[in-house]
Amino acid sequence: MRNSRADVVAAALRVLDEHGLENCSMRRVASEIGVQVSALYHHVPNKQSLLALMADEIVAGVLHSAAVRAAAGNDPLTMARAICLALRDALLAVRDGADVVATASAFHTGTIAIEQRLTELVGPDGARTLLLFSFGHAQSTQTYLQAAEFGALIAGAGAGDGAAGPRDADPAASDDGGSGRGSVAESFARGIDIILTGIGAERP
Amino acid sequence: MRNSRADVVAAALRVLDEHGLENCSMRRVASEIGVQVSALYHHVPNKQSLLALMADEIVAGVLHSAAVRAAAGNDPLTMARAICLALRDALLAVRDGADVVATASAFHTGTIAIEQRLTELVGPDGARTLLLFSFGHAQSTQTYLQAAEFGALIAGAGAGDGAAGPRDADPAASDDGGSGRGSVAESFARGIDIILTGIGAERP
DNA sequence: ACCTGAACACCGTTCAAGT
DNA sequence: ACCTGAACACCGTTCAAGT
């Protein structure tokens, strides 16, 4: 038994993190574990399934993360907040992670557990709103970061689809570590708080 | 002068709507206007730029649509609501439209005008929250609809990343026209209302 | 069960050359 | 300015064949 399905998924996540979604081809994944492309199809029916498995893996630990467990016992809105922040961390932890999860796990995968937990806490409409905002914000954060790497930045104009302004160089964002924290994280938290306020007002 | 840049963009949007983003290749766009692939590169530097132009076109009419103009003069939250609904309509009007706009126009394109108008109405945090939720919801709606076409539906389980439940067959959704309105549109509106309530509560 | 090697029908992009 | 034709270096997926 040379390789298992889990080996393939792990290799795919390594390739994703190092080369990005655009370059995460079946051929690259195969060569990452030293195997012919065709061998992958013994572990996985097609590329889309592989992406779904990767999405599950990216999101796997969220509900049992330290931050989420630490929030247990608080009121529902505070717990929902902790889950969203942990979800964001998980999405940003691997390159193009938000993209992979948002598109691959459109329904039948691991985000279901998170949506169900959020539904228990804030109802179905609130859960959907929180989840879709979290995906969208993380996605646009990663897109922005990636464009910044390539120097494809827009010169002036404080514009941007969102998530990141030009003040990423803000020294106040020095807990960053270069991985996309800082003022962008604050923008995320403010969005979540707006939604939670709306949820709280509608179910008093 | 056989073809202009606008011709190329129009052809690309036709291909997108008929064959989906996955099959919207430079080669297909070229053959749509009866030209060799290499000719496209006289009008557009690369595929990514073409996608950005398509995204601009998809979103172009939103701020001046009838529905948005009809809301002029109302309070800011009502106007913001009208813009989001019109944006959703524009995104759903063409196949994979939400995908194209969300990823291609990550910043430097036509969504900027919409974000700026929303910022005037509800502030930057509210604008971003509304915009990202709108993109995310439309994207997941289109993904779901597409999966449904292919019969890739999940049997039981009222789950789903969002936007659409299994009750799409709800007869109350008969103003549908097969284009994704109905209960899904109500879920969108409820999400927008949650966010607007949150915005209203935070800036009294 | 797991893998190889070769093939099929595609991609995006470049480039000399035509008019 | 706009286009052709051919090429380059890739794709995802399939399939007979090996062990």
Side-chain angles (χ1 to χ4, degrees):
Chain A
M1 187 176 43
R2 294 266 284 173
N3 284 293
S4 72
R5 186 184 177 109
D7 293 328
V8 172
V9 175
L13 284 170
R14 256 178 280 132
V15 173
L16 177 70
D17 199 44
E18 280 168 36
H19 304 282
L21 181 56
E22 196 181 32
N23 300 308
C24 188
S25 66
M26 297 296 273
R27 284 173 149 91
R28 282 227 203 197
V29 174
S31 86
E32 172 78 16
I33 53 178
V35 116
Q36 293 296 117
V37 213
S38 49
L40 295 184
Y41 291 85
H42 197 268
H43 300 282
V44 127
N46 51 45
K47 190 182 182 178
Q48 201 178 200
S49 302
L50 177 55
L51 285 169
L53 291 170
M54 293 161 71
D56 272 345
E57 190 71 25
I58 289 171
V59 131
V62 169
L63 287 182
H64 304 95
S65 65
V68 169
R69 277 190 284 103
N74 282 99
D75 64 300
L77 296 190
T78 302
M79 291 180 64
R81 192 179 197 276
I83 291 174
C84 291
L85 295 183
L87 173 60
R88 184 186 120 98
D89 283 346
L91 295 176
L92 294 187
V94 31
R95 212 223 285 201
D96 289 337
D99 249 301
V100 170
V101 173
T103 74
S105 80
F107 349 72
H108 51 102
T109 56
T111 50
I112 290 185
I114 297 178
E115 181 172 14
Q116 283 176 340
R117 184 74 189 103
L118 285 175
T119 296
E120 293 168 16
L121 291 168
V122 300
D125 293 324
R128 262 198 279 276
T129 307
L130 287 171
L131 216 46
L132 290 171
F133 171 75
S134 298
F135 285 151
H137 199 283
Q139 215 169 335
S140 103
T141 298
Q142 281 180 329
T143 306
Y144 180 88
L145 257 34
Q146 210 168 322
E149 260 180 39
F150 276 74
L153 246 46
I154 294 87
D161 157 326
R167 64 199 153 91
D168 259 8
D170 189 341
S174 50
D175 63 322
D176 190 329
S179 64
R181 304 287 140 72
S183 62
V184 193
E186 289 164 28
S187 146
F188 179 78
R190 287 196 301 268
I192 293 292
D193 286 336
I194 286 176
I195 297 170
L196 291 174
T197 301
I199 291 170
E202 291 204 344
R203 30 168 63 206
Chain B
M1 186 176 43
R2 294 269 283 173
N3 285 292
S4 71
R5 187 186 177 107
D7 294 328
V8 172
V9 175
L13 284 171
R14 257 177 281 134
V15 173
L16 178 69
D17 199 44
E18 280 168 36
H19 305 282
L21 181 56
E22 195 182 33
N23 300 307
C24 189
S25 65
M26 296 298 271
R27 284 172 150 92
R28 283 228 203 196
V29 173
S31 86
E32 172 79 16
I33 52 176
V35 117
Q36 293 295 118
V37 213
S38 48
L40 295 184
Y41 291 85
H42 197 269
H43 301 283
V44 129
N46 51 46
K47 190 182 183 180
Q48 200 178 203
S49 303
L50 178 54
L51 286 168
L53 291 170
M54 294 161 70
D56 271 345
E57 191 70 26
I58 289 171
V59 130
V62 169
L63 288 182
H64 303 95
S65 66
V68 169
R69 277 190 285 106
N74 281 101
D75 64 299
L77 296 190
T78 304
M79 293 181 62
R81 193 180 197 273
I83 291 173
C84 290
L85 295 183
L87 174 60
R88 184 186 119 98
D89 284 345
L91 294 176
L92 294 187
V94 31
R95 205 214 297 196
D96 290 337
D99 250 301
V100 171
V101 173
T103 73
S105 81
F107 349 72
H108 51 100
T109 56
T111 50
I112 290 185
I114 297 178
E115 182 171 14
Q116 283 177 339
R117 184 75 189 101
L118 285 175
T119 297
E120 294 167 15
L121 291 168
V122 301
D125 293 323
R128 262 197 278 275
T129 308
L130 287 171
L131 216 48
L132 290 172
F133 171 75
S134 299
F135 285 151
H137 198 282
Q139 216 170 334
S140 103
T141 299
Q142 282 180 330
T143 306
Y144 181 87
L145 257 33
Q146 210 168 322
E149 260 180 38
F150 276 74
L153 246 43
I154 294 87
D161 156 326
R167 63 199 152 93
D168 259 8
D170 190 342
S174 51
D175 63 321
D176 191 332
S179 64
R181 305 287 138 70
S183 62
V184 194
E186 288 164 28
S187 146
F188 179 79
R190 287 196 299 269
I192 294 291
D193 287 335
I194 286 175
I195 298 170
L196 290 175
T197 300
I199 292 171
E202 291 204 345
R203 30 167 61 207

